[in-house]
């Protein structure tokens, strides 16, 4: 008996219907190459259609790229950069494309955008936002996202960068409190 397909949800403003389980490239980092390749194939075979990776995940991009050579059209590919300047972001994007064996990334994200200083640099003259917008205009990336650890910082970022389509952050239900209530977040973001 074939298992039921994985449920899907709309991912932010992308229109993408991503499976509720994604393959995070960080899990490939400590694995031997052949095991990482096998796991990636198994995830796709099981119906996972969303892969997420970053240059900071060691050799995970190269391992994932081995699979993407033949299966790129089966997945929504998300990647990230911690570079805050345009040139650094451009170089890292080009290297990610090479390692991932693809000519486009579906979702390119500002990774760990956690401080006002990061946001100022990203949005300023010569900032990484310039690279993101140029890459989107050229069809190299389809959507822009951000990741980080502080919801209030996310609110400030999306208030400033209207092109952000997705936000990713860790959520720990043990420490969740009312300060994360959406109304309070919006109020804090306006300050």
């Amino acid at each position: 008996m074939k298992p039921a397909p994985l449920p899907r949800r709309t991912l932010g403003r992308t229109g993408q219907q991503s499976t509720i389980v994604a393959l995070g490239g960080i899990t490939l980092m400590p694995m031997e190459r052949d095991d990482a390749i096998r796991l990636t194939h198994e995830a796709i075979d099981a119906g996972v259609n969303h892969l997420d990776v970053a240059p900071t995940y060691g050799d995970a991009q190269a391992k994932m790229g081995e699979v993407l050579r033949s299966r790129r059209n089966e997945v929504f590919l998300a990647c990230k950069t911690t570079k805050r300047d345009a040139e650094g972001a451009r170089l890292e994007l080009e290297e990610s494309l090479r390692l991932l064996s693809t000519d486009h990334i579906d979702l390119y994200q500002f990774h760990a955008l956690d401080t006002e200083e990061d946001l100022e640099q990203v949005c300023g003259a010569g900032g990484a936002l310039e690279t993101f917008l140029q890459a989107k205009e050229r069809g190299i990336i389809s959507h822009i996202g951000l990741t980080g650890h502080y919801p209030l910082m996310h609110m400030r970022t999306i208030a400033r960068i209207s092109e952000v389509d997705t936000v990713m952050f860790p959520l720990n239900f043990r420490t969740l409190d009312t300060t994360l209530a959406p109304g309070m977040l919006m109020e804090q973001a306006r300050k």
Side-chain angles (χ1 to χ4, degrees), residues 73-148:
N73 64 338
E74 297 177 60
V75 298
F76 182 88
L77 179 61
C79 192
K80 310 172 183 93
T81 184
T82 57
K83 303 299 182 187
R84 303 307 187 220
D85 63 296
E87 181 66 7
R90 183 187 63 76
L91 292 172
E92 196 159 68
L93 173 58
E94 289 172 358
E95 181 67 358
S96 290
L97 291 166
R98 185 185 72 77
L99 291 170
L100 291 164
S101 302
T102 188
D103 62 356
H104 70 286
I105 293 173
D106 299 302
L107 173 64
Y108 202 53
Q109 302 160 100
F110 298 107
H111 195 27
L113 191 65
D114 288 332
T115 68
E116 291 287 345
E117 294 78 25
D118 285 341
L119 182 58
E120 288 304 316
Q121 188 175 6
V122 161
C123 294
L129 181 59
E130 292 177 10
T131 293
F132 277 57
L133 295 176
Q134 289 169 0
K136 187 172 181 183
E137 186 176 302
R138 293 176 49 213
I140 296 169
I141 66 173
S142 301
H143 304 283
I144 295 173
L146 70 111
T147 77

